[in-house]
Amino acid sequence: MEVEMKIRGLMMDPVSNLPIVLLKDIGSDTVLPIWVGVYEANAIALEIEKVSTPRPMTHDLIRNVLTGLEAMVHKVVVTELKDDTFYAVIWLEREGHIVSIDSRPSDALALALRVDCPIYVDEVVLKNSKQAANMSDRVTAEELRKYLEGLNDEDLGKYKM
């Protein structure tokens, strides 16, 4: 089963100094942090902040290609968590045919923002990410999860690279 999520914001991990995309369950307080690369976080931040660039960025190009091909993105799904790596699928339709495209979550999320489609996370991924945090011998992972779940709008502020 899939759980619908929204991008709650972006922040920097104080331990690894890597960007984190925060996904929040629209029906509960569950938060899923996904660590992403700097360039991927920037692509997401540009769309969150509605910053226009003089030329299309990669995810804008993908949106434009899909529009030109008359393909519609129905949803993106974070489908798997394996060896601390998240996996995603972009579901689109063209000429009545449903197509699934393997994707990194960061790319799927950046595209979802640009085409305004729903974002889902497989329930098993949410369960496994909680188990991984609980089984970790690093207390910081659980502390970070509690911290992330307690964030409010003022805490997030503007994302800076």
Side-chain angles (χ1 to χ4, degrees), residues 11 28 34 39 56 73 79 83 90 112 142 150 153:
M11 64 178 291
S28 75
I34 298 180
Y39 297 110
V73 179
T79 56
D83 299 325
I90 300 167
E142 183 59 27
D153 290 338

mmCIF file of all heavy atoms in Angstrom, residues 11 28 34 39 56 73 79 83 90 112 142 150 153:
data_model
loop_
_atom_site.group_PDB
_atom_site.id
_atom_site.type_symbol
_atom_site.label_atom_id
_atom_site.label_comp_id
_atom_site.label_asym_id
_atom_site.label_seq_id
_atom_site.Cartn_x
_atom_site.Cartn_y
_atom_site.Cartn_z
ATOM 1 N N MET A 11 16.511 20.635 4.430
ATOM 2 C CA MET A 11 17.411 21.110 5.467
ATOM 3 C C MET A 11 18.756 20.430 5.294
ATOM 4 O O MET A 11 18.887 19.489 4.509
ATOM 5 C CB MET A 11 16.848 20.836 6.863
ATOM 6 C CG MET A 11 16.702 19.361 7.209
ATOM 7 S SD MET A 11 16.081 19.062 8.866
ATOM 8 C CE MET A 11 17.459 19.593 9.848
ATOM 9 N N SER A 28 -0.848 12.103 8.680
ATOM 10 C CA SER A 28 -0.321 11.916 10.033
ATOM 11 C C SER A 28 0.928 12.773 10.204
ATOM 12 O O SER A 28 1.264 13.581 9.340
ATOM 13 C CB SER A 28 0.023 10.438 10.286
ATOM 14 O OG SER A 28 1.219 10.085 9.618
ATOM 15 N N ILE A 34 14.984 11.921 3.433
ATOM 16 C CA ILE A 34 15.747 11.275 2.360
ATOM 17 C C ILE A 34 16.959 12.159 2.065
ATOM 18 O O ILE A 34 16.802 13.315 1.660
ATOM 19 C CB ILE A 34 14.895 11.079 1.088
ATOM 20 C CG1 ILE A 34 13.706 10.162 1.371
ATOM 21 C CG2 ILE A 34 15.751 10.518 -0.047
ATOM 22 C CD1 ILE A 34 12.802 9.917 0.169
ATOM 23 N N TYR A 39 23.317 18.964 -5.795
ATOM 24 C CA TYR A 39 22.697 19.427 -7.043
ATOM 25 C C TYR A 39 21.225 19.037 -7.106
ATOM 26 O O TYR A 39 20.383 19.811 -7.582
ATOM 27 C CB TYR A 39 23.450 18.876 -8.256
ATOM 28 C CG TYR A 39 24.874 19.381 -8.307
ATOM 29 C CD1 TYR A 39 25.947 18.521 -8.074
ATOM 30 C CD2 TYR A 39 25.152 20.726 -8.550
ATOM 31 C CE1 TYR A 39 27.255 18.993 -8.100
ATOM 32 C CE2 TYR A 39 26.456 21.202 -8.576
ATOM 33 C CZ TYR A 39 27.500 20.327 -8.347
ATOM 34 O OH TYR A 39 28.788 20.793 -8.365
ATOM 35 N N PRO A 56 16.148 26.217 -19.315
ATOM 36 C CA PRO A 56 15.560 25.082 -18.581
ATOM 37 C C PRO A 56 16.637 24.244 -17.884
ATOM 38 O O PRO A 56 17.653 23.919 -18.483
ATOM 39 C CB PRO A 56 14.866 24.253 -19.663
ATOM 40 C CG PRO A 56 14.769 25.132 -20.851
ATOM 41 C CD PRO A 56 15.863 26.144 -20.742
ATOM 42 N N VAL A 73 2.445 12.610 -16.215
ATOM 43 C CA VAL A 73 2.947 11.926 -15.026
ATOM 44 C C VAL A 73 1.785 11.806 -14.048
ATOM 45 O O VAL A 73 1.201 12.801 -13.636
ATOM 46 C CB VAL A 73 4.131 12.688 -14.381
ATOM 47 C CG1 VAL A 73 4.608 11.958 -13.136
ATOM 48 C CG2 VAL A 73 5.268 12.865 -15.380
ATOM 49 N N THR A 79 9.707 3.512 -3.727
ATOM 50 C CA THR A 79 9.269 2.116 -3.707
ATOM 51 C C THR A 79 10.067 1.197 -2.814
ATOM 52 O O THR A 79 9.585 0.135 -2.427
ATOM 53 C CB THR A 79 9.342 1.530 -5.132
ATOM 54 O OG1 THR A 79 10.682 1.694 -5.617
ATOM 55 C CG2 THR A 79 8.355 2.206 -6.058
ATOM 56 N N ASP A 83 19.801 -1.315 1.593
ATOM 57 C CA ASP A 83 21.184 -0.943 1.919
ATOM 58 C C ASP A 83 21.341 0.574 2.049
ATOM 59 O O ASP A 83 22.260 1.175 1.476
ATOM 60 C CB ASP A 83 22.165 -1.492 0.880
ATOM 61 C CG ASP A 83 22.144 -3.010 0.796
ATOM 62 O OD1 ASP A 83 21.951 -3.651 1.853
ATOM 63 O OD2 ASP A 83 22.307 -3.541 -0.315
ATOM 64 N N ILE A 90 8.672 6.578 -11.456
ATOM 65 C CA ILE A 90 7.794 7.605 -12.012
ATOM 66 C C ILE A 90 6.768 6.881 -12.872
ATOM 67 O O ILE A 90 7.143 6.115 -13.758
ATOM 68 C CB ILE A 90 8.598 8.611 -12.869
ATOM 69 C CG1 ILE A 90 9.665 9.312 -12.015
ATOM 70 C CG2 ILE A 90 7.665 9.618 -13.542
ATOM 71 C CD1 ILE A 90 10.701 10.067 -12.830
ATOM 72 N N ALA A 112 8.096 15.684 -9.827
ATOM 73 C CA ALA A 112 6.744 15.770 -9.254
ATOM 74 C C ALA A 112 6.372 17.214 -8.933
ATOM 75 O O ALA A 112 5.226 17.633 -9.163
ATOM 76 C CB ALA A 112 6.651 14.902 -7.999
ATOM 77 N N GLU A 142 17.943 8.304 15.688
ATOM 78 C CA GLU A 142 16.643 8.429 16.347
ATOM 79 C C GLU A 142 16.422 9.860 16.831
ATOM 80 O O GLU A 142 15.319 10.393 16.737
ATOM 81 C CB GLU A 142 16.543 7.440 17.521
ATOM 82 C CG GLU A 142 15.196 7.445 18.222
ATOM 83 C CD GLU A 142 14.029 7.094 17.296
ATOM 84 O OE1 GLU A 142 14.243 6.377 16.301
ATOM 85 O OE2 GLU A 142 12.905 7.561 17.572
ATOM 86 N N GLY A 150 9.295 17.049 14.903
ATOM 87 C CA GLY A 150 8.852 18.199 15.696
ATOM 88 C C GLY A 150 9.021 19.540 15.017
ATOM 89 O O GLY A 150 8.701 20.575 15.590
ATOM 90 N N ASP A 153 6.858 25.319 10.609
ATOM 91 C CA ASP A 153 7.188 26.132 9.438
ATOM 92 C C ASP A 153 8.333 27.107 9.701
ATOM 93 O O ASP A 153 9.186 27.317 8.854
ATOM 94 C CB ASP A 153 5.960 26.918 8.965
ATOM 95 C CG ASP A 153 4.912 26.017 8.350
ATOM 96 O OD1 ASP A 153 5.275 24.911 7.905
ATOM 97 O OD2 ASP A 153 3.732 26.409 8.321
#
